């Protein structure tokens, strides 16, 4: 049964799409998933701007994708490789897909019927404009009070914008990024860092307590209590005052206290949260310097898994979508990754060449075809 047809003449066979869906990542609506940031901007500030693990994981994938060797039509390759207003197109698109779940690449006309440049728009500023059946026909890019309307497909079937999105099972128009699923682990990791910082600010442990014991059962007045607390904060709190002796009078006695190493140590908790953050973004924890992770035998295997399972598949999606979008302009916009030229996968290439070279039943032409030549 044919459910989907080509764009021309398919109005009668294509299904009606919903105009909206579960967009907790986009506007912060819906039930709270926990006591952590809700909504894209808040999660972005907590994760990418405020968490070293999340930022490093995104940068590893985005910068790796930007370094991929690309082959195809020389004009298409030049457009993808060119910087526009200082923006690296592939790096920006990869980071936006990971964080937001959507990337919008604007195709800017050069005024002579060709493509002048490609530019990745900030995804949180873009909204999809759908027709009566729910299919996207245009995109609105809003900056303050100004709104730019970009056609999804213009004259001659040439799109003005390429929309890349991650799979979202509950939304027809917008993709799902990694920030939402990583928000809990990011909150734990950040809170553990704040807790450890607070312990350091207080000599790394609650060394003891002042107990008011006048013998007649009396208690400190409010004024006395506030004055004593102010004196404690000024003279004894903070790392600079760690271990400083105290002088007590007026019925006060010192009672020593301490926390066990297990109570004070948040290294294990932070490491577990960091591994979950790395998992959400598809980066092997070993590459982030996290201890206690034995999933990979060594660093080389972890690096190979990163490229094979995360960077190369994401690169194929990005280049495939951009190539399809500019094909209407150039007529030959197909772009591919030159996998043979990726240094991290050189071991696989050497193994393939060894196996092919040892296959005596193959001709030279067949061997060349198997190794991609």
């Amino acid at each position: 049964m044919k459910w989907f047809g080509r764009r021309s003449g398919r109005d009668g066979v294509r299904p009606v799409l919903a105009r909206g869906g579960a967009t907790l990542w986009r506007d912060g609506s819906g039930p709270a998933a926990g006591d952590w940031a809700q909504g894209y901007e808040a999660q972005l500030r907590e994760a990418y701007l405020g968490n070293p693990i999340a930022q490093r994981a995104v940068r590893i994938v985005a910068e790796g994708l930007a370094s991929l060797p690309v082959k195809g039509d020389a004009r298409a390759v030049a457009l993808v490789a060119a910087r526009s207003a200082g923006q690296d197109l592939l790096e920006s698109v990869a980071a936006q897909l990971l964080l937001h779940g959507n990337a919008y690449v604007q195709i800017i006309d050069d005024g002579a019927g060709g493509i002048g440049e490609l530019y990745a728009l900030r995804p949180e500023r873009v909204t999809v404009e759908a027709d009566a059946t729910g299919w996207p026909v245009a995109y609105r890019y809003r900056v303050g009070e100004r709104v730019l309307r970009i056609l999804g497909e213009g004259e001659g079937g040439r799109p003005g914008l390429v929309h890349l999105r991650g799979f979202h099972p509950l939304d027809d128009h917008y993709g799902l990024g990694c920030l939402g699923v990583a928000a809990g682990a990011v909150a734990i990791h950040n809170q553990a860092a704040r807790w450890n910082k607070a312990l350091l600010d207080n000599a790394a442990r609650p060394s003891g307590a002042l107990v008011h014991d006048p013998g007649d059962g009396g208690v400190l007045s409010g004024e006395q209590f506030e004055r004593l607390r102010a004196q404690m904060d000024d003279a004894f709190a903070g790392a600079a005052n760690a271990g400083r002796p105290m002088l007590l009078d007026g019925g006060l006695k010192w009672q020593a206290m301490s926390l066990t190493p297990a109570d004070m140590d948040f290294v294990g908790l932070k490491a577990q949260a960091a591994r979950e953050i790395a998992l959400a973004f598809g980066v092997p924890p070993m590459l982030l310097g996290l201890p206690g992770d034995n999933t990979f035998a060594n660093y080389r295997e972890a690096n190979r898994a990163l490229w094979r399972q995360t960077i190369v598949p994401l690169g194929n999606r990005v280049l495939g979508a951009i190539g399809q979008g500019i094909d209407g302009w150039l007529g030959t916009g197909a772009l591919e990754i030159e996998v043979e030229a990726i240094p991290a996968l050189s071991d696989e290439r050497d193994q393939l060449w060894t196996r092919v070279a040892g296959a005596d039943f193959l001709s030279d032409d067949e061997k060349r075809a198997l190794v991609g030549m």
Side-chain angles (χ1 to χ4, degrees):
M1 182 179 294
K2 184 177 180 181
W3 290 97
F4 300 95
R6 299 290 295 175
R7 183 172 293 277
S8 57
R10 70 178 182 180
D11 291 343
V13 296
R14 67 186 184 186
V16 176
L17 299 183
R19 289 179 176 270
T23 55
L24 175 63
W25 54 266
R26 191 155 52 94
D27 55 17
S29 60
D35 188 17
W36 49 74
Q38 301 295 313
Y40 174 69
E41 182 175 350
Q43 291 175 353
L44 183 67
R45 293 184 181 278
E46 282 290 310
Y48 192 80
L49 301 183
N51 187 273
I53 302 299
Q55 182 180 124
R56 183 56 183 155
V58 173
R59 289 179 65 89
I60 285 177
V61 177
E63 292 175 358
L65 193 147
S67 69
L68 286 172
V70 181
K71 60 182 179 180
D73 182 79
R75 295 171 297 172
V77 173
L79 282 171
V80 170
R83 287 181 176 269
S84 179
Q87 179 194 85
D88 188 302
L89 179 67
L90 293 181
E91 181 180 349
S92 299
V93 169
Q96 291 168 356
L97 278 174
L98 289 174
L99 295 169
H100 191 275
N102 298 271
Y104 303 89
V105 179
Q106 184 182 6
I107 302 176
I108 302 176
D109 194 337
D110 63 358
I115 301 177
E117 58 182 327
L118 302 175
Y119 190 80
L121 304 175
R122 281 177 51 175
E124 75 276 13
R125 294 176 174 175
V126 181
T127 55
V128 176
E129 180 181 318
D131 60 14
T133 59
W135 284 82
V137 293
Y139 300 87
R140 294 185 178 273
Y141 182 70
R142 181 181 297 275
V143 181
E145 298 299 325
R146 298 180 59 186
V147 178
L148 174 65
R149 187 175 184 269
I150 306 173
L151 291 177
E153 188 169 295
E155 182 180 354
R158 299 186 300 182
L161 182 143
V162 178
H163 180 193
L164 301 92
R165 69 187 188 97
F167 174 69
H168 195 322
L170 298 177
D171 200 306
D172 292 327
H173 296 145
Y174 300 97
L176 182 65
C178 302
L179 279 181
V181 295
V186 168
I188 293 173
H189 195 272
N190 288 347
Q191 190 61 34
R194 296 187 187 102
W195 185 278
N196 283 337
K197 175 62 166 58
L199 287 177
L200 289 175
D201 288 342
N202 291 279
R205 61 185 176 90
S207 54
L210 284 177
V211 180
H212 183 243
D213 186 15
D216 57 0
V219 297
L220 290 173
S221 65
E223 181 181 354
Q224 290 174 321
F225 180 82
E226 292 299 330
R227 179 173 59 84
L228 181 60
R229 184 170 63 177
Q231 291 176 347
M232 292 286 295
D233 291 340
D234 293 340
F236 301 102
N241 296 318
R244 185 174 180 179
M246 303 180 66
L247 180 62
L248 308 175
D249 63 356
L252 293 175
K253 70 176 182 179
W254 177 256
Q255 180 173 324
M257 296 173 59
S258 64
L259 292 178
T260 65
D263 292 331
M264 292 189 297
D265 188 7
F266 280 79
V267 174
L269 175 65
K270 290 188 65 178
Q272 179 61 33
R275 280 191 287 271
E276 293 180 7
I277 296 171
L279 175 65
F281 290 103
V283 177
M286 181 178 292
L287 300 182
L288 297 173
L290 301 177
D293 192 278
N294 299 319
T295 303
F296 299 93
N298 50 48
Y299 185 90
R300 178 180 297 179
E301 291 298 322
N303 192 47
R304 184 186 303 172
L306 168 69
W307 283 85
R308 271 300 180 192
Q309 298 179 15
T310 302
I311 296 178
V312 171
L314 184 60
N316 285 328
R317 287 179 52 197
V318 171
L319 293 175
I322 294 178
Q324 182 178 350
I326 64 179
D327 185 67
W329 294 78
L330 303 180
T332 173
L335 296 168
E336 297 180 3
I337 299 174
E338 194 173 356
V339 180
E340 297 80 9
I342 299 177
L345 303 180
S346 60
D347 289 347
E348 293 184 2
R349 184 169 61 254
D350 293 342
Q351 294 173 9
L352 174 63
W353 282 44
T354 301
R355 291 196 301 269
V356 171
D360 297 334
F361 56 90
L362 295 176
S363 66
D364 290 342
D365 289 340
E366 290 173 330
K367 292 179 179 181
R368 290 171 62 87
L370 286 175
V371 297
M373 299 179 62

